[in-house]
Amino acid sequence: MKDKNNMDEMYRDYAQTVYKFLLSQSHDEDLAEELTQETFYQAVKSIKRYDGSCKLSVWLCQIAKHLWFQHLRREKKHGEELREELCPAVPSAEENVLQRQEHLILLQKIHTLPETMREVVYLRLFGDLSFQEIGTVLGKTETWARVTFYRGKEKLRGGVKDDEG
């Protein structure tokens, strides 16, 4: 299961199963899509630990469940979003300036990404394109677009040092 074709095949065969499982848990299409992407990234990273003692779909859903629980823990810690949604505060002038600065810093960081990775991030964040659409625009696969976007996010977070794939 190491080569790229097998990984693409694994994604094609099981992405919908993982997505539907996560959607049933989260009831949020965007979150389910993001966690599905993360599930396959984690699966690729830890494929050596898959021992075949259960179906591959079960193993992937276990990874997805773990990521879902991680998300819930993070959300519990950061319950401010819900509070802000229920009681929106009008941002002060200082908060507006800080938000604008953070936005500019993000754009500067995105600009430092390798060209194709930067293009994928721009198309996803600012073009609001699906991964399938990004793949079509760039002449690549949907899986390639997902992985490239994820790697770009990790680089922006400072978690990945390698170049685009």
Side-chain angles (χ1 to χ4, degrees):
M1 192 61 80
K2 282 187 178 180
D3 72 27
K4 183 184 180 303
N5 290 336
N6 285 342
M7 294 302 178
D8 286 345
E9 184 180 325
M10 178 176 70
Y11 185 84
R12 279 192 310 274
D13 291 347
Y14 299 107
Q16 278 300 311
T17 301
V18 172
Y19 173 79
K20 287 176 183 177
F21 168 75
L22 287 164
L23 185 60
S24 74
Q25 299 298 304
S26 67
H27 307 288
D28 180 328
E29 291 176 0
D30 291 334
L31 179 59
E33 185 176 327
E34 184 175 330
L35 290 175
T36 298
Q37 175 186 331
E38 175 76 12
T39 297
F40 280 89
Y41 176 76
Q42 294 298 329
V44 168
K45 281 177 45 178
S46 60
I47 193 69
K48 290 180 182 177
R49 292 197 310 250
Y50 175 65
D51 61 8
S53 62
C54 63
K55 289 182 180 179
L56 189 56
S57 60
V58 172
W59 181 69
L60 290 167
C61 285
Q62 288 171 339
I63 294 171
K65 181 176 72 169
H66 176 73
L67 292 169
W68 168 242
F69 287 147
Q70 278 183 332
H71 171 77
L72 289 177
R73 284 191 294 275
R74 274 194 310 273
E75 285 299 306
K76 188 174 181 182
K77 287 181 186 176
H78 303 290
E80 298 168 359
E81 290 177 18
L82 180 58
R83 188 181 69 223
E84 286 178 14
E85 189 177 314
L86 296 174
C87 305
V90 177
S92 67
E94 294 85 6
E95 289 172 328
N96 281 334
V97 168
L98 288 174
Q99 285 177 350
R100 183 123 177 102
Q101 285 176 337
E102 288 172 2
H103 186 74
L104 288 173
I105 289 168
L106 174 62
L107 287 172
Q108 287 172 329
K109 284 182 174 183
I110 291 172
H111 187 70
T112 66
L113 293 173
E115 185 178 349
T116 51
M117 190 176 284
R118 178 175 60 235
E119 197 170 358
V120 170
V121 171
Y122 279 143
L123 289 172
R124 182 70 175 162
L125 296 180
F126 303 113
D128 201 29
L129 297 182
S130 71
F131 291 115
Q132 184 175 13
E133 291 168 327
I134 293 169
T136 300
V137 166
L138 298 178
K140 303 284 187 171
T141 66
E142 177 182 352
T143 302
W144 175 89
R146 287 178 182 280
V147 169
T148 303
F149 180 76
Y150 182 81
R151 288 178 179 165
K153 280 194 324 187
E154 288 301 298
K155 277 190 146 207
L156 292 172
R157 290 180 182 151
V160 172
K161 303 280 190 238
D162 63 344
D163 286 335
E164 55 189 305

PDB file of all heavy atoms in Angstrom, residues 110-144:
ATOM      1  N   ILE A 110       1.042  32.680   2.868  1.00  0.00           N
ATOM      2  CA  ILE A 110       0.589  31.931   1.690  1.00  0.00           C
ATOM      3  C   ILE A 110       1.505  32.239   0.505  1.00  0.00           C
ATOM      4  O   ILE A 110       1.859  31.354  -0.257  1.00  0.00           O
ATOM      5  CB  ILE A 110      -0.887  32.260   1.350  1.00  0.00           C
ATOM      6  CG1 ILE A 110      -1.816  31.698   2.430  1.00  0.00           C
ATOM      7  CG2 ILE A 110      -1.273  31.715  -0.023  1.00  0.00           C
ATOM      8  CD1 ILE A 110      -3.265  32.141   2.294  1.00  0.00           C
ATOM      9  N   HIS A 111       1.918  33.488   0.392  1.00  0.00           N
ATOM     10  CA  HIS A 111       2.773  33.889  -0.725  1.00  0.00           C
ATOM     11  C   HIS A 111       4.126  33.185  -0.697  1.00  0.00           C
ATOM     12  O   HIS A 111       4.765  33.026  -1.734  1.00  0.00           O
ATOM     13  CB  HIS A 111       2.966  35.406  -0.730  1.00  0.00           C
ATOM     14  CG  HIS A 111       3.677  35.910  -1.930  1.00  0.00           C
ATOM     15  ND1 HIS A 111       3.109  35.902  -3.185  1.00  0.00           N
ATOM     16  CD2 HIS A 111       4.918  36.413  -2.082  1.00  0.00           C
ATOM     17  CE1 HIS A 111       3.975  36.379  -4.048  1.00  0.00           C
ATOM     18  NE2 HIS A 111       5.086  36.705  -3.417  1.00  0.00           N
ATOM     19  N   THR A 112       4.567  32.693   0.465  1.00  0.00           N
ATOM     20  CA  THR A 112       5.863  32.005   0.560  1.00  0.00           C
ATOM     21  C   THR A 112       5.775  30.534   0.169  1.00  0.00           C
ATOM     22  O   THR A 112       6.808  29.877   0.053  1.00  0.00           O
ATOM     23  CB  THR A 112       6.439  32.093   1.988  1.00  0.00           C
ATOM     24  OG1 THR A 112       5.592  31.366   2.882  1.00  0.00           O
ATOM     25  CG2 THR A 112       6.570  33.541   2.452  1.00  0.00           C
ATOM     26  N   LEU A 113       4.571  30.013  -0.022  1.00  0.00           N
ATOM     27  CA  LEU A 113       4.415  28.602  -0.402  1.00  0.00           C
ATOM     28  C   LEU A 113       4.936  28.377  -1.814  1.00  0.00           C
ATOM     29  O   LEU A 113       4.925  29.295  -2.638  1.00  0.00           O
ATOM     30  CB  LEU A 113       2.935  28.201  -0.346  1.00  0.00           C
ATOM     31  CG  LEU A 113       2.273  28.167   1.021  1.00  0.00           C
ATOM     32  CD1 LEU A 113       0.772  27.922   0.869  1.00  0.00           C
ATOM     33  CD2 LEU A 113       2.895  27.107   1.902  1.00  0.00           C
ATOM     34  N   PRO A 114       5.361  27.148  -2.117  1.00  0.00           N
ATOM     35  CA  PRO A 114       5.735  26.828  -3.497  1.00  0.00           C
ATOM     36  C   PRO A 114       4.563  27.137  -4.439  1.00  0.00           C
ATOM     37  O   PRO A 114       3.391  27.049  -4.043  1.00  0.00           O
ATOM     38  CB  PRO A 114       6.009  25.320  -3.453  1.00  0.00           C
ATOM     39  CG  PRO A 114       6.343  25.039  -2.035  1.00  0.00           C
ATOM     40  CD  PRO A 114       5.528  25.999  -1.222  1.00  0.00           C
ATOM     41  N   GLU A 115       4.868  27.455  -5.675  1.00  0.00           N
ATOM     42  CA  GLU A 115       3.875  27.997  -6.602  1.00  0.00           C
ATOM     43  C   GLU A 115       2.597  27.168  -6.729  1.00  0.00           C
ATOM     44  O   GLU A 115       1.494  27.690  -6.573  1.00  0.00           O
ATOM     45  CB  GLU A 115       4.495  28.184  -7.988  1.00  0.00           C
ATOM     46  CG  GLU A 115       3.545  28.850  -8.954  1.00  0.00           C
ATOM     47  CD  GLU A 115       4.162  29.092 -10.318  1.00  0.00           C
ATOM     48  OE1 GLU A 115       5.386  28.945 -10.466  1.00  0.00           O
ATOM     49  OE2 GLU A 115       3.397  29.416 -11.227  1.00  0.00           O
ATOM     50  N   THR A 116       2.701  25.867  -6.992  1.00  0.00           N
ATOM     51  CA  THR A 116       1.477  25.081  -7.191  1.00  0.00           C
ATOM     52  C   THR A 116       0.705  24.928  -5.886  1.00  0.00           C
ATOM     53  O   THR A 116      -0.523  24.941  -5.887  1.00  0.00           O
ATOM     54  CB  THR A 116       1.771  23.686  -7.787  1.00  0.00           C
ATOM     55  OG1 THR A 116       2.768  23.048  -7.011  1.00  0.00           O
ATOM     56  CG2 THR A 116       2.209  23.779  -9.214  1.00  0.00           C
ATOM     57  N   MET A 117       1.426  24.804  -4.781  1.00  0.00           N
ATOM     58  CA  MET A 117       0.764  24.706  -3.479  1.00  0.00           C
ATOM     59  C   MET A 117       0.023  26.018  -3.185  1.00  0.00           C
ATOM     60  O   MET A 117      -1.123  26.015  -2.729  1.00  0.00           O
ATOM     61  CB  MET A 117       1.799  24.413  -2.391  1.00  0.00           C
ATOM     62  CG  MET A 117       1.217  24.063  -1.052  1.00  0.00           C
ATOM     63  SD  MET A 117       2.511  23.612   0.119  1.00  0.00           S
ATOM     64  CE  MET A 117       2.923  21.968  -0.437  1.00  0.00           C
ATOM     65  N   ARG A 118       0.672  27.139  -3.471  1.00  0.00           N
ATOM     66  CA  ARG A 118       0.065  28.460  -3.264  1.00  0.00           C
ATOM     67  C   ARG A 118      -1.192  28.583  -4.121  1.00  0.00           C
ATOM     68  O   ARG A 118      -2.226  29.058  -3.670  1.00  0.00           O
ATOM     69  CB  ARG A 118       1.089  29.537  -3.614  1.00  0.00           C
ATOM     70  CG  ARG A 118       0.568  30.950  -3.478  1.00  0.00           C
ATOM     71  CD  ARG A 118       1.640  31.995  -3.709  1.00  0.00           C
ATOM     72  NE  ARG A 118       2.223  31.904  -5.033  1.00  0.00           N
ATOM     73  CZ  ARG A 118       3.516  31.784  -5.286  1.00  0.00           C
ATOM     74  NH1 ARG A 118       4.384  31.724  -4.308  1.00  0.00           N
ATOM     75  NH2 ARG A 118       3.954  31.719  -6.528  1.00  0.00           N
ATOM     76  N   GLU A 119      -1.109  28.112  -5.363  1.00  0.00           N
ATOM     77  CA  GLU A 119      -2.247  28.184  -6.269  1.00  0.00           C
ATOM     78  C   GLU A 119      -3.426  27.376  -5.734  1.00  0.00           C
ATOM     79  O   GLU A 119      -4.570  27.842  -5.748  1.00  0.00           O
ATOM     80  CB  GLU A 119      -1.821  27.670  -7.649  1.00  0.00           C
ATOM     81  CG  GLU A 119      -2.748  28.061  -8.748  1.00  0.00           C
ATOM     82  CD  GLU A 119      -2.176  27.759 -10.123  1.00  0.00           C
ATOM     83  OE1 GLU A 119      -1.039  27.271 -10.239  1.00  0.00           O
ATOM     84  OE2 GLU A 119      -2.909  28.014 -11.087  1.00  0.00           O
ATOM     85  N   VAL A 120      -3.153  26.188  -5.225  1.00  0.00           N
ATOM     86  CA  VAL A 120      -4.217  25.352  -4.659  1.00  0.00           C
ATOM     87  C   VAL A 120      -4.848  26.052  -3.452  1.00  0.00           C
ATOM     88  O   VAL A 120      -6.075  26.106  -3.321  1.00  0.00           O
ATOM     89  CB  VAL A 120      -3.673  23.956  -4.270  1.00  0.00           C
ATOM     90  CG1 VAL A 120      -4.701  23.183  -3.454  1.00  0.00           C
ATOM     91  CG2 VAL A 120      -3.280  23.163  -5.504  1.00  0.00           C
ATOM     92  N   VAL A 121      -4.025  26.611  -2.578  1.00  0.00           N
ATOM     93  CA  VAL A 121      -4.540  27.302  -1.382  1.00  0.00           C
ATOM     94  C   VAL A 121      -5.391  28.497  -1.797  1.00  0.00           C
ATOM     95  O   VAL A 121      -6.491  28.705  -1.270  1.00  0.00           O
ATOM     96  CB  VAL A 121      -3.388  27.708  -0.444  1.00  0.00           C
ATOM     97  CG1 VAL A 121      -3.883  28.610   0.671  1.00  0.00           C
ATOM     98  CG2 VAL A 121      -2.715  26.471   0.144  1.00  0.00           C
ATOM     99  N   TYR A 122      -4.920  29.292  -2.749  1.00  0.00           N
ATOM    100  CA  TYR A 122      -5.698  30.438  -3.222  1.00  0.00           C
ATOM    101  C   TYR A 122      -7.045  29.997  -3.818  1.00  0.00           C
ATOM    102  O   TYR A 122      -8.080  30.575  -3.518  1.00  0.00           O
ATOM    103  CB  TYR A 122      -4.934  31.227  -4.289  1.00  0.00           C
ATOM    104  CG  TYR A 122      -3.888  32.188  -3.758  1.00  0.00           C
ATOM    105  CD1 TYR A 122      -2.702  32.370  -4.446  1.00  0.00           C
ATOM    106  CD2 TYR A 122      -4.078  32.922  -2.595  1.00  0.00           C
ATOM    107  CE1 TYR A 122      -1.730  33.252  -3.987  1.00  0.00           C
ATOM    108  CE2 TYR A 122      -3.121  33.801  -2.123  1.00  0.00           C
ATOM    109  CZ  TYR A 122      -1.946  33.963  -2.830  1.00  0.00           C
ATOM    110  OH  TYR A 122      -0.997  34.826  -2.373  1.00  0.00           O
ATOM    111  N   LEU A 123      -7.006  28.968  -4.662  1.00  0.00           N
ATOM    112  CA  LEU A 123      -8.243  28.505  -5.289  1.00  0.00           C
ATOM    113  C   LEU A 123      -9.240  27.997  -4.257  1.00  0.00           C
ATOM    114  O   LEU A 123     -10.448  28.201  -4.389  1.00  0.00           O
ATOM    115  CB  LEU A 123      -7.941  27.413  -6.320  1.00  0.00           C
ATOM    116  CG  LEU A 123      -7.241  27.881  -7.596  1.00  0.00           C
ATOM    117  CD1 LEU A 123      -6.818  26.680  -8.437  1.00  0.00           C
ATOM    118  CD2 LEU A 123      -8.125  28.819  -8.400  1.00  0.00           C
ATOM    119  N   ARG A 124      -8.734  27.320  -3.220  1.00  0.00           N
ATOM    120  CA  ARG A 124      -9.623  26.765  -2.197  1.00  0.00           C
ATOM    121  C   ARG A 124     -10.167  27.868  -1.291  1.00  0.00           C
ATOM    122  O   ARG A 124     -11.370  27.952  -1.048  1.00  0.00           O
ATOM    123  CB  ARG A 124      -8.857  25.722  -1.365  1.00  0.00           C
ATOM    124  CG  ARG A 124      -9.681  25.058  -0.308  1.00  0.00           C
ATOM    125  CD  ARG A 124     -10.700  24.130  -0.906  1.00  0.00           C
ATOM    126  NE  ARG A 124     -11.385  23.434   0.164  1.00  0.00           N
ATOM    127  CZ  ARG A 124     -12.523  22.831   0.040  1.00  0.00           C
ATOM    128  NH1 ARG A 124     -13.111  22.782  -1.140  1.00  0.00           N
ATOM    129  NH2 ARG A 124     -13.076  22.222   1.043  1.00  0.00           N
ATOM    130  N   LEU A 125      -9.278  28.729  -0.785  1.00  0.00           N
ATOM    131  CA  LEU A 125      -9.699  29.726   0.198  1.00  0.00           C
ATOM    132  C   LEU A 125     -10.405  30.931  -0.420  1.00  0.00           C
ATOM    133  O   LEU A 125     -11.394  31.411   0.111  1.00  0.00           O
ATOM    134  CB  LEU A 125      -8.492  30.209   1.007  1.00  0.00           C
ATOM    135  CG  LEU A 125      -7.800  29.163   1.866  1.00  0.00           C
ATOM    136  CD1 LEU A 125      -6.632  29.779   2.617  1.00  0.00           C
ATOM    137  CD2 LEU A 125      -8.767  28.516   2.845  1.00  0.00           C
ATOM    138  N   PHE A 126      -9.870  31.420  -1.534  1.00  0.00           N
ATOM    139  CA  PHE A 126     -10.399  32.653  -2.086  1.00  0.00           C
ATOM    140  C   PHE A 126     -11.265  32.422  -3.321  1.00  0.00           C
ATOM    141  O   PHE A 126     -12.111  33.240  -3.642  1.00  0.00           O
ATOM    142  CB  PHE A 126      -9.258  33.627  -2.395  1.00  0.00           C
ATOM    143  CG  PHE A 126      -8.414  33.917  -1.186  1.00  0.00           C
ATOM    144  CD1 PHE A 126      -7.097  33.501  -1.125  1.00  0.00           C
ATOM    145  CD2 PHE A 126      -8.946  34.558  -0.081  1.00  0.00           C
ATOM    146  CE1 PHE A 126      -6.323  33.736  -0.001  1.00  0.00           C
ATOM    147  CE2 PHE A 126      -8.186  34.796   1.050  1.00  0.00           C
ATOM    148  CZ  PHE A 126      -6.866  34.387   1.095  1.00  0.00           C
ATOM    149  N   GLY A 127     -11.053  31.304  -4.002  1.00  0.00           N
ATOM    150  CA  GLY A 127     -11.880  30.966  -5.151  1.00  0.00           C
ATOM    151  C   GLY A 127     -13.067  30.118  -4.765  1.00  0.00           C
ATOM    152  O   GLY A 127     -13.971  29.902  -5.549  1.00  0.00           O
ATOM    153  N   ASP A 128     -13.028  29.585  -3.533  1.00  0.00           N
ATOM    154  CA  ASP A 128     -14.100  28.752  -2.993  1.00  0.00           C
ATOM    155  C   ASP A 128     -14.407  27.568  -3.909  1.00  0.00           C
ATOM    156  O   ASP A 128     -15.554  27.198  -4.097  1.00  0.00           O
ATOM    157  CB  ASP A 128     -15.353  29.588  -2.747  1.00  0.00           C
ATOM    158  CG  ASP A 128     -16.291  28.924  -1.750  1.00  0.00           C
ATOM    159  OD1 ASP A 128     -15.799  28.175  -0.882  1.00  0.00           O
ATOM    160  OD2 ASP A 128     -17.512  29.149  -1.845  1.00  0.00           O
ATOM    161  N   LEU A 129     -13.339  26.981  -4.500  1.00  0.00           N
ATOM    162  CA  LEU A 129     -13.513  25.832  -5.377  1.00  0.00           C
ATOM    163  C   LEU A 129     -13.426  24.534  -4.587  1.00  0.00           C
ATOM    164  O   LEU A 129     -12.719  24.457  -3.582  1.00  0.00           O
ATOM    165  CB  LEU A 129     -12.427  25.816  -6.462  1.00  0.00           C
ATOM    166  CG  LEU A 129     -12.409  26.977  -7.446  1.00  0.00           C
ATOM    167  CD1 LEU A 129     -11.298  26.776  -8.469  1.00  0.00           C
ATOM    168  CD2 LEU A 129     -13.737  27.132  -8.155  1.00  0.00           C
ATOM    169  N   SER A 130     -14.122  23.524  -5.059  1.00  0.00           N
ATOM    170  CA  SER A 130     -14.023  22.192  -4.454  1.00  0.00           C
ATOM    171  C   SER A 130     -12.688  21.586  -4.868  1.00  0.00           C
ATOM    172  O   SER A 130     -12.036  22.050  -5.816  1.00  0.00           O
ATOM    173  CB  SER A 130     -15.162  21.301  -4.949  1.00  0.00           C
ATOM    174  OG  SER A 130     -14.959  20.962  -6.310  1.00  0.00           O
ATOM    175  N   PHE A 131     -12.288  20.514  -4.190  1.00  0.00           N
ATOM    176  CA  PHE A 131     -11.032  19.857  -4.546  1.00  0.00           C
ATOM    177  C   PHE A 131     -11.119  19.263  -5.952  1.00  0.00           C
ATOM    178  O   PHE A 131     -10.142  19.277  -6.698  1.00  0.00           O
ATOM    179  CB  PHE A 131     -10.669  18.784  -3.517  1.00  0.00           C
ATOM    180  CG  PHE A 131     -10.296  19.373  -2.191  1.00  0.00           C
ATOM    181  CD1 PHE A 131     -11.077  19.148  -1.072  1.00  0.00           C
ATOM    182  CD2 PHE A 131      -9.172  20.153  -2.053  1.00  0.00           C
ATOM    183  CE1 PHE A 131     -10.743  19.698   0.146  1.00  0.00           C
ATOM    184  CE2 PHE A 131      -8.821  20.714  -0.845  1.00  0.00           C
ATOM    185  CZ  PHE A 131      -9.611  20.487   0.271  1.00  0.00           C
ATOM    186  N   GLN A 132     -12.278  18.768  -6.308  1.00  0.00           N
ATOM    187  CA  GLN A 132     -12.457  18.225  -7.655  1.00  0.00           C
ATOM    188  C   GLN A 132     -12.270  19.328  -8.693  1.00  0.00           C
ATOM    189  O   GLN A 132     -11.598  19.139  -9.710  1.00  0.00           O
ATOM    190  CB  GLN A 132     -13.834  17.589  -7.793  1.00  0.00           C
ATOM    191  CG  GLN A 132     -14.050  16.929  -9.141  1.00  0.00           C
ATOM    192  CD  GLN A 132     -15.377  16.190  -9.213  1.00  0.00           C
ATOM    193  OE1 GLN A 132     -16.237  16.351  -8.369  1.00  0.00           O
ATOM    194  NE2 GLN A 132     -15.543  15.387 -10.239  1.00  0.00           N
ATOM    195  N   GLU A 133     -12.848  20.512  -8.442  1.00  0.00           N
ATOM    196  CA  GLU A 133     -12.709  21.633  -9.366  1.00  0.00           C
ATOM    197  C   GLU A 133     -11.252  22.092  -9.455  1.00  0.00           C
ATOM    198  O   GLU A 133     -10.755  22.400 -10.545  1.00  0.00           O
ATOM    199  CB  GLU A 133     -13.601  22.798  -8.925  1.00  0.00           C
ATOM    200  CG  GLU A 133     -15.081  22.506  -9.076  1.00  0.00           C
ATOM    201  CD  GLU A 133     -15.974  23.517  -8.373  1.00  0.00           C
ATOM    202  OE1 GLU A 133     -15.575  24.053  -7.303  1.00  0.00           O
ATOM    203  OE2 GLU A 133     -17.082  23.762  -8.879  1.00  0.00           O
ATOM    204  N   ILE A 134     -10.576  22.132  -8.319  1.00  0.00           N
ATOM    205  CA  ILE A 134      -9.156  22.521  -8.316  1.00  0.00           C
ATOM    206  C   ILE A 134      -8.348  21.535  -9.141  1.00  0.00           C
ATOM    207  O   ILE A 134      -7.509  21.941  -9.958  1.00  0.00           O
ATOM    208  CB  ILE A 134      -8.613  22.612  -6.876  1.00  0.00           C
ATOM    209  CG1 ILE A 134      -9.279  23.774  -6.131  1.00  0.00           C
ATOM    210  CG2 ILE A 134      -7.089  22.781  -6.874  1.00  0.00           C
ATOM    211  CD1 ILE A 134      -9.015  23.792  -4.631  1.00  0.00           C
ATOM    212  N   GLY A 135      -8.597  20.253  -8.943  1.00  0.00           N
ATOM    213  CA  GLY A 135      -7.901  19.238  -9.725  1.00  0.00           C
ATOM    214  C   GLY A 135      -8.143  19.426 -11.215  1.00  0.00           C
ATOM    215  O   GLY A 135      -7.217  19.343 -12.026  1.00  0.00           O
ATOM    216  N   THR A 136      -9.378  19.701 -11.580  1.00  0.00           N
ATOM    217  CA  THR A 136      -9.715  19.908 -12.987  1.00  0.00           C
ATOM    218  C   THR A 136      -8.999  21.142 -13.545  1.00  0.00           C
ATOM    219  O   THR A 136      -8.404  21.087 -14.618  1.00  0.00           O
ATOM    220  CB  THR A 136     -11.244  20.068 -13.159  1.00  0.00           C
ATOM    221  OG1 THR A 136     -11.885  18.880 -12.681  1.00  0.00           O
ATOM    222  CG2 THR A 136     -11.622  20.297 -14.605  1.00  0.00           C
ATOM    223  N   VAL A 137      -9.039  22.245 -12.812  1.00  0.00           N
ATOM    224  CA  VAL A 137      -8.399  23.483 -13.254  1.00  0.00           C
ATOM    225  C   VAL A 137      -6.898  23.275 -13.463  1.00  0.00           C
ATOM    226  O   VAL A 137      -6.316  23.755 -14.437  1.00  0.00           O
ATOM    227  CB  VAL A 137      -8.640  24.624 -12.231  1.00  0.00           C
ATOM    228  CG1 VAL A 137      -7.723  25.803 -12.477  1.00  0.00           C
ATOM    229  CG2 VAL A 137     -10.097  25.068 -12.275  1.00  0.00           C
ATOM    230  N   LEU A 138      -6.261  22.537 -12.557  1.00  0.00           N
ATOM    231  CA  LEU A 138      -4.816  22.370 -12.613  1.00  0.00           C
ATOM    232  C   LEU A 138      -4.381  21.101 -13.347  1.00  0.00           C
ATOM    233  O   LEU A 138      -3.188  20.786 -13.389  1.00  0.00           O
ATOM    234  CB  LEU A 138      -4.245  22.388 -11.195  1.00  0.00           C
ATOM    235  CG  LEU A 138      -4.478  23.707 -10.434  1.00  0.00           C
ATOM    236  CD1 LEU A 138      -3.934  23.619  -9.018  1.00  0.00           C
ATOM    237  CD2 LEU A 138      -3.866  24.882 -11.167  1.00  0.00           C
ATOM    238  N   GLY A 139      -5.338  20.368 -13.894  1.00  0.00           N
ATOM    239  CA  GLY A 139      -5.002  19.172 -14.651  1.00  0.00           C
ATOM    240  C   GLY A 139      -4.478  18.043 -13.782  1.00  0.00           C
ATOM    241  O   GLY A 139      -3.636  17.251 -14.213  1.00  0.00           O
ATOM    242  N   LYS A 140      -4.957  17.958 -12.569  1.00  0.00           N
ATOM    243  CA  LYS A 140      -4.530  16.930 -11.623  1.00  0.00           C
ATOM    244  C   LYS A 140      -5.764  16.210 -11.090  1.00  0.00           C
ATOM    245  O   LYS A 140      -6.886  16.506 -11.470  1.00  0.00           O
ATOM    246  CB  LYS A 140      -3.758  17.570 -10.442  1.00  0.00           C
ATOM    247  CG  LYS A 140      -2.552  18.389 -10.825  1.00  0.00           C
ATOM    248  CD  LYS A 140      -1.402  17.516 -11.191  1.00  0.00           C
ATOM    249  CE  LYS A 140      -0.150  18.354 -11.398  1.00  0.00           C
ATOM    250  NZ  LYS A 140       1.019  17.571 -11.550  1.00  0.00           N
ATOM    251  N   THR A 141      -5.535  15.281 -10.144  1.00  0.00           N
ATOM    252  CA  THR A 141      -6.659  14.555  -9.553  1.00  0.00           C
ATOM    253  C   THR A 141      -7.206  15.301  -8.337  1.00  0.00           C
ATOM    254  O   THR A 141      -6.541  16.165  -7.763  1.00  0.00           O
ATOM    255  CB  THR A 141      -6.224  13.148  -9.096  1.00  0.00           C
ATOM    256  OG1 THR A 141      -5.276  13.294  -8.020  1.00  0.00           O
ATOM    257  CG2 THR A 141      -5.621  12.345 -10.233  1.00  0.00           C
ATOM    258  N   GLU A 142      -8.402  14.935  -7.955  1.00  0.00           N
ATOM    259  CA  GLU A 142      -8.999  15.490  -6.737  1.00  0.00           C
ATOM    260  C   GLU A 142      -8.126  15.142  -5.534  1.00  0.00           C
ATOM    261  O   GLU A 142      -7.909  15.982  -4.654  1.00  0.00           O
ATOM    262  CB  GLU A 142     -10.411  14.925  -6.544  1.00  0.00           C
ATOM    263  CG  GLU A 142     -11.082  15.383  -5.271  1.00  0.00           C
ATOM    264  CD  GLU A 142     -12.456  14.764  -5.081  1.00  0.00           C
ATOM    265  OE1 GLU A 142     -12.975  14.091  -5.983  1.00  0.00           O
ATOM    266  OE2 GLU A 142     -13.004  14.953  -3.985  1.00  0.00           O
ATOM    267  N   THR A 143      -7.622  13.928  -5.489  1.00  0.00           N
ATOM    268  CA  THR A 143      -6.764  13.497  -4.383  1.00  0.00           C
ATOM    269  C   THR A 143      -5.512  14.367  -4.308  1.00  0.00           C
ATOM    270  O   THR A 143      -5.114  14.797  -3.228  1.00  0.00           O
ATOM    271  CB  THR A 143      -6.373  12.015  -4.551  1.00  0.00           C
ATOM    272  OG1 THR A 143      -7.567  11.244  -4.600  1.00  0.00           O
ATOM    273  CG2 THR A 143      -5.498  11.543  -3.414  1.00  0.00           C
ATOM    274  N   TRP A 144      -4.913  14.634  -5.452  1.00  0.00           N
ATOM    275  CA  TRP A 144      -3.731  15.490  -5.490  1.00  0.00           C
ATOM    276  C   TRP A 144      -4.069  16.861  -4.904  1.00  0.00           C
ATOM    277  O   TRP A 144      -3.303  17.421  -4.114  1.00  0.00           O
ATOM    278  CB  TRP A 144      -3.213  15.622  -6.927  1.00  0.00           C
ATOM    279  CG  TRP A 144      -2.067  16.577  -7.041  1.00  0.00           C
ATOM    280  CD1 TRP A 144      -0.746  16.294  -6.904  1.00  0.00           C
ATOM    281  CD2 TRP A 144      -2.150  17.985  -7.289  1.00  0.00           C
ATOM    282  NE1 TRP A 144      -0.001  17.448  -7.054  1.00  0.00           N
ATOM    283  CE2 TRP A 144      -0.842  18.499  -7.296  1.00  0.00           C
ATOM    284  CE3 TRP A 144      -3.213  18.862  -7.513  1.00  0.00           C
ATOM    285  CZ2 TRP A 144      -0.560  19.847  -7.504  1.00  0.00           C
ATOM    286  CZ3 TRP A 144      -2.928  20.202  -7.722  1.00  0.00           C
ATOM    287  CH2 TRP A 144      -1.624  20.688  -7.719  1.00  0.00           C
TER     288      TRP A 144
END
